Amino acid sequence: MSPRQPDPRSPRPLDRALSLPLLETVYRIASLDLKAEERSAQLTIALREHTTDADAKSRVKCAVSRIWINPPQPAAAMIRWAIDNPEHFPDRRLMHTGALLATVPFVGSVLGHLGSSFALDQTLTVPDLRRRVVARWGQTSTVSEGVGKTITSLRRLGVVEGGGRRPITRCSPLATSPLSAAWLVHAVMLCRHAESLEVREAAGVPELFWADQGMPDPSYPHLELHTEALNRRVWVPV
């Protein structure tokens, strides 16, 4: 059986490893009340502290803009809510990892593989993980290299440790608030392109192994709780 190709709506895998200071810079620019052209110019200037002048204008700028400044349309409301409500994120690393999950499905695929392996007490190295991801996304140099870039980014965000040929291990779960827990459920649904997610399943999705999930607050404005037949309760995007 030939590998399945990526969803054409999905962005390409990460071609640059990201860091918390870099993502914080992009988030700060996204929160400014500026016109699109002004925000773009400010971002280019700010990114020069983290990368080369050429990448500040092109590759890095394109990658990070997709997360906080120009997210895919389905994720726009969810990303905007995080920009407007930073007080609900007791740990900023959680906010940035959730934004990556929602806007870069490749990252979600990596998180899902890791979470499933951790749940089964399996040991994974980057080469092991790369083989699994290639089976989902196809054998290209961009996909192969993207796995390592993603693990480096997750390590910098305090989600995992290890990498290379060392086993990848999980770090202590990052703290959530009730509203940010609901926001993360929304992130998983966006990553999966899911129209609904059962409440019980949402409490243990592998993509969120890194978050200390409490009870999601149903007052989060972009999800609703619906009750289906046999009292099956599901989250549905608004």
Side-chain angles (χ1 to χ4, degrees):
M1 182 182 294
S2 60
R4 289 178 292 170
Q5 296 302 307
D7 189 316
R9 297 169 294 176
S10 302
R12 62 183 296 173
L14 291 180
D15 62 4
R16 287 290 187 275
L18 307 178
S19 66
L20 180 60
L22 172 60
L23 290 167
E24 280 286 288
T25 294
V26 183
Y27 179 89
R28 177 178 60 80
I29 299 297
S31 66
L32 298 176
D33 185 17
L34 297 173
K35 294 180 180 179
E37 299 83 3
E38 296 171 328
R39 186 178 289 114
S40 178
Q42 287 288 324
L43 180 60
T44 298
I45 294 169
L47 289 178
R48 288 173 180 154
E49 297 181 9
H50 303 276
T51 187
T52 65
D53 185 65
D55 277 355
K57 295 177 180 178
S58 57
R59 296 179 73 177
V60 171
K61 184 176 183 179
C62 180
V64 297
S65 292
R66 177 104 187 175
I67 302 164
W68 284 117
I69 291 177
N70 187 32
Q73 192 281 326
M78 173 261 196
I79 291 296
R80 186 71 247 175
W81 186 88
I83 292 172
D84 292 339
N85 297 276
E87 69 276 10
H88 294 299
F89 295 91
D91 191 323
R92 304 279 281 201
R93 296 173 299 166
L94 179 130
M95 181 181 72
H96 291 299
T97 308
L100 276 166
L101 174 63
T103 60
V104 188
F106 183 85
V107 173
S109 179
V110 170
L111 289 170
H113 282 297
L114 288 172
S116 296
S117 295
F118 293 148
L120 296 172
D121 291 324
Q122 295 175 342
T123 300
L124 277 185
T125 62
V126 169
D128 298 328
L129 180 61
R130 184 175 290 118
R131 284 190 287 271
R132 295 187 183 190
V133 174
V134 162
R136 163 65 179 90
W137 289 78
Q139 178 66 64
T140 68
S141 60
T142 304
V143 168
S144 295
E145 293 170 5
V147 173
K149 297 293 192 300
T150 300
I151 291 299
T152 298
S153 302
L154 296 177
R155 186 170 61 244
R156 290 174 176 177
L157 288 168
V159 171
V160 299
E161 294 179 342
R165 295 194 176 276
R166 293 180 297 145
I168 304 167
T169 58
R170 68 175 112 189
C171 296
S172 298
L174 304 179
T176 63
S177 67
L179 279 167
S180 66
W183 182 82
L184 288 176
V185 171
H186 194 183
V188 170
M189 296 177 68
L190 289 165
C191 176
R192 294 183 177 186
H193 304 295
E195 296 181 356
S196 65
L197 185 62
E198 189 174 11
V199 169
R200 286 178 295 181
E201 181 185 358
V205 290
E207 293 94 333
L208 296 181
F209 71 85
W210 46 274
D212 186 13
Q213 277 279 75
M215 180 64 69
D217 189 337
S219 68
Y220 170 71
H222 301 299
L223 290 181
E224 288 183 344
L225 274 175
H226 290 190
T227 301
E228 297 182 342
L230 301 177
N231 293 320
R232 180 175 180 267
R233 301 180 76 214
V234 297
W235 293 105
V236 177
V238 177

